Structure formats: C-alpha cells, structure tokens
Amino acid sequence: MDAGRKRELEAKVYAGERLDAADGLALYECDDLAWLGRLAHHRRTELAADRVMFNVNRHLNLTNVCAASCAYCSFQRKPGERDAYTMRVHEAVAKAKEMEGEQLTELHIVNGLHPTLPWKYYPRVLRELGAALPGVSLKAFTATEIHWFEKISGLSASEILDELIDAGLESLTGGGAEIFDWDVRRHIVDHDTHWEDWSRIHRLAHAKGLRTPATMLYGHIESPEHRVDHVLRLRQLQDETGGFVVFIPLRFQHDAGGDPRNRLQARTVMASPAESLKTFAVSRLLFDNVPHVKCFWVMHGLSLAQLSLNFGADDLDGSVVEYKITHDADRYGTPSTMHREDLLDLIRDAGFRPVERNTRYEVVREYDPPVPLARRRAEPQQVWA
Ligand code: SF4
C-alpha cells in the first residue's frame, strides 16, 4: 500500500469515519502488521481502554450426531457410529454439575443437528439445567439449530425462541455463520441455513431482547473479499438491530490426526499467526458498531490470544473446562482447560486489566491492573503455549 493510501486510511480511523469495502480490502492487502495493529488498537482502546473481559463458562455439547456433514467439521458423527453420543437430560445436568465448584456464570451449548431427537428435548434440557444451576446463564444453540428446530417441530422460529426463552435461554451462540458468501458457503456448509435464515433468526432474537454473538470462520478457501463481505453484512444488520454484542473470528482448524470428516484440510493451509492478527485488526476496524471483539483462545493458542489483545480483541473466551468441537480437530498442544486464575495471569501478562463479565457483558468483577513488565523483569515469566 502506498504512503498516500495509508495516510488516508489512518485519517479515517482517527476521525472515527466509517470504512468501506475498498478500505477493508486495502487493509487486508497491507502486510505492515505493526501499523494495522496500531490502528486497531486505537479503536479497541477507545471502546475498552485497558480492559480485557472474560467469563467463566463451560461448553457443553449435548450430542455429536448430526444430519449434516460440513466440510470443515470433525465433530459430527452419524447415527450408529462407534463414538456417536447423545446425552440424556440427567446426563447433561450431571456433566454441568461437575463444574459447580468453578463458580461458572455461563453454559455454552451447541450440538449436532440430531435427526430423531424430538424438539421438546431442547427446552426440557434448558429447564433442568437452569433448575440445577441457578444463577448460571444459558447461552445455547446456533441459528442453524434454531432453523433445524423449525423443521422438526413445525413451529416458527418466533415460537421456538419464545419457548426457549421461557425455559431459560439468555443468548443464542454465534455459530453457523462460517462465511456467508454463497460461492464459498456452498463448498463448505452441508445444511440449508444460509445468510437469509441466519440473519432472520438473529434479527428475531434481537427483537425479543436477546443480545447475540456473531462469528466468522476464516483461513480455508475464502479470500479477503469474502471476509470483508461477511463483516459488512453483519455491520448492516447491526445498524438495524443493535443486537450483536461481540464478533468472534474463528480460525479454521486442521486435524493433526487426519480425520477424513475434515475434508477441507486436504486443500487448505491453516491461517498463519500473522494472518490471524490481520483478521482481528481488520475486523475491529470494519465492524465499527459491534462493542466487542473476542479471541477464542482454544482456536488460536495462548500466545496468539495475548497478541490479539493488541490487534483489536478485548474479550477472551473463556474458562473452558472441555471443548469438544475444536479439540476433536486440534492436537497442537493448546490446553483444553483454563480456570479463572489462569485467565487472570494470561491477561495481566499481556499488559491488560482483567474484568470478569456475564453473558450479557455486564461487569461481574473488576480486578487489579497488571504490574508493568519493566518492574517484573527479575521475576520468572510464564511462557504461554
Ligand atoms: S458444523 Fe454443525 S451442522 Fe455442520 S456437520 Fe458439524 S455439527 Fe453438523
């Protein structure tokens, strides 16, 4: 990028002017990571100062049985496969209860599209989880699952959301978004929930008072044009509803064990750390009306998660005790367990002030800021894998 274009983009960012698609593409073409980081960090600091939010949650996957076979997914199993599982309601509750001592504030529940489970199973699970873990927020189901419930129940998404909210649903999850552009989507997604239904369901959830996350799966067969298009669709919907609370770029994972279900890995390389930092920075700058950008450390590793906090991210997910969807694919050494104290250290070691939040991004507890690194040189430093 020439110096003139850089000055022009910098002026827009510092004046708080909205960037357009051409600006987003120009930013992706720029390899000056330090400069991109400075712009994104400026915007991130305007919104969040030196705070990094986190929550203490548990990811629960009720079933890995799925009627679809998305090309990037090594989680799904077909009915009757040896390691296919579906939790009975009491098993799901028992699994969640194991975490009680962790003082968790949120359960994050996503599942395969089970071909035969009745619709009524889902509100029942929410009700029983809510009764067993009072005070724990239930963030559950992707828009894809809500669309699936419409098909298996004959109810409308509005009726489904009403029943789930009545059963204790506090937020949808942001999954199922992947990449919205059809030229990419038709090669990677094997269900029929695309932009039209995904956005319809989130719009509906926002109208019912839920605030929801939005995700983007990058680093496979998409190009920067598709990432820019994806974010701008979300930005336009956010202009309309104001209901998105956070944007989460998710790095496509290869399966080190060569799981044949993950059909995309044969023709892709995973996004490099530099590409990931660029994606965080450009997302923060383009998606100017979303309050938070989250790094899901399970998909990036802990060192990159720390760096992402200087490239636009201000939220870390989470205190995950077990996360099956990623960890069926990821055997690169990232731990599957982080507890509250680990996250506090991780955030402070990166130079930020930890703030614990709940599902609605309300502050649960503010923690002390970090001791500046210059004053800690004599102490042993933790290396985060
Ligand atoms: S991504 Fe979700 S819908 Fe697609 S195959 Fe995996 S579990 Fe099923």
Side-chain angles (χ1 to χ4, degrees):
M1 187 191 302
D2 66 43
R5 183 73 167 120
K6 259 183 160 174
R7 275 196 301 277
E8 185 191 328
L9 286 168
E10 207 167 306
K12 275 180 112 168
V13 170
Y14 282 96
E17 272 179 49
R18 178 160 270 194
L19 303 181
D20 60 21
D23 296 333
L25 284 175
L27 291 170
Y28 269 116
E29 274 164 26
C30 176
D31 281 336
D32 186 346
L33 266 188
W35 179 75
L36 283 171
R38 178 159 64 81
L39 293 192
H41 196 60
H42 167 77
R43 182 64 186 135
R44 173 238 187 276
T45 306
E46 279 184 333
L47 292 165
D50 66 342
R51 289 182 304 166
V52 171
M53 291 193 136
F54 71 96
N55 69 340
V56 181
N57 67 5
R58 177 176 180 122
H59 287 234
L60 192 64
N61 309 120
L62 300 169
T63 179
N64 62 356
V65 176
C66 189
S69 301
C70 299
Y72 52 84
C73 179
S74 47
F75 170 70
Q76 44 88 16
R77 299 289 186 274
K78 296 304 160 216
E81 269 193 74
R82 193 170 42 84
D83 48 359
Y85 74 86
T86 301
M87 292 181 193
R88 291 165 186 269
V89 174
H90 73 269
E91 289 170 334
V93 170
K95 189 106 178 136
K97 290 278 280 182
E98 286 170 18
M99 276 288 290
E100 256 188 325
E102 288 286 326
Q103 298 171 312
L104 76 163
T105 60
E106 175 186 281
L107 273 178
H108 178 118
I109 304 167
V110 289
N111 319 288
L113 309 175
H114 196 290
T116 55
L117 264 181
W119 141 248
K120 284 287 177 192
Y121 167 85
Y122 300 95
R124 201 177 139 218
V125 173
L126 289 194
R127 280 207 167 82
E128 303 251 341
L129 286 170
L133 297 170
V136 173
S137 295
L138 301 174
K139 181 164 80 179
F141 312 124
T142 61
T144 310
E145 290 179 84
I146 301 295
H147 194 200
W148 180 253
F149 299 157
E150 285 185 288
K151 290 179 198 151
I152 63 174
S153 69
L155 299 171
S156 68
S158 178
E159 291 166 315
I160 284 164
L161 286 172
D162 284 344
E163 183 154 353
L164 292 175
I165 290 168
D166 187 58
L169 181 77
E170 203 161 304
S171 172
L172 294 180
T173 69
E178 326 313 355
I179 286 287
F180 291 127
D181 184 282
W182 179 244
D183 283 342
V184 173
R185 195 168 183 86
R186 67 196 170 96
H187 294 294
I188 65 172
V189 166
D190 183 44
H191 50 70
D192 58 4
T193 309
H194 306 304
W195 166 248
E196 294 72 17
D197 287 302
W198 193 97
S199 57
R200 170 178 65 87
I201 288 164
H202 278 267
R203 184 183 283 111
L204 204 50
H206 298 167
K208 292 178 185 295
L210 302 186
R211 299 184 80 202
T212 65
T215 61
M216 172 176 76
L217 186 71
Y218 71 92
H220 42 88
I221 58 169
E222 94 292 358
S223 62
E225 286 83 354
H226 303 121
R227 292 183 209 168
V228 167
D229 169 75
H230 187 93
V231 164
L232 293 187
R233 290 185 198 217
L234 291 168
R235 184 173 84 178
Q236 194 175 351
L237 182 53
Q238 179 76 337
D239 278 341
E240 180 191 327
T241 69
F244 290 118
V245 70
V246 63
F247 180 61
I248 315 163
L250 299 171
R251 182 168 70 152
F252 166 62
Q253 305 282 300
H254 275 201
D255 184 330
D259 191 320
R261 293 174 185 86
N262 189 340
R263 303 189 304 281
L264 267 187
Q265 67 181 340
R267 51 195 177 119
T268 55
V269 288
M270 275 171 62
S272 67
E275 186 65 22
S276 291
L277 292 176
K278 189 186 279 191
T279 303
F280 274 99
V282 180
S283 300
R284 177 61 282 173
L285 292 166
L286 269 187
F287 203 165
D288 54 11
N289 52 359
V290 76
H292 302 281
V293 172
K294 178 192 286 187
C295 179
F296 184 43
W297 57 260
V298 180
M299 284 187 170
H300 298 276
L302 297 173
S303 298
L304 194 65
Q306 287 183 311
L307 279 173
S308 76
L309 304 175
N310 287 285
F311 283 76
D314 68 301
D315 184 29
L316 285 182
D317 186 353
S319 180
V320 180
V321 161
E322 181 181 9
Y323 187 60
K324 291 193 73 63
I325 287 182
T326 299
H327 273 267
D328 277 4
D330 173 14
R331 296 189 187 120
Y332 292 92
T334 304
S336 63
T337 306
M338 290 279 282
H339 300 280
R340 182 186 270 101
E341 291 306 317
D342 300 320
L343 278 167
L344 293 176
D345 287 345
L346 184 81
I347 293 166
R348 287 204 188 101
D349 282 358
F352 293 88
R353 185 160 54 92
V355 175
E356 186 172 344
R357 62 164 176 83
N358 61 16
T359 302
R360 291 185 159 260
Y361 282 77
E362 295 153 350
V363 173
V364 172
R365 185 171 165 193
E366 306 244 12
Y367 291 85
D368 291 337
V371 177
L373 282 176
R375 275 196 255 143
R376 296 174 40 197
R377 290 236 168 83
E379 296 173 21
Q381 303 289 309
Q382 174 138 4
V383 176
W384 296 94

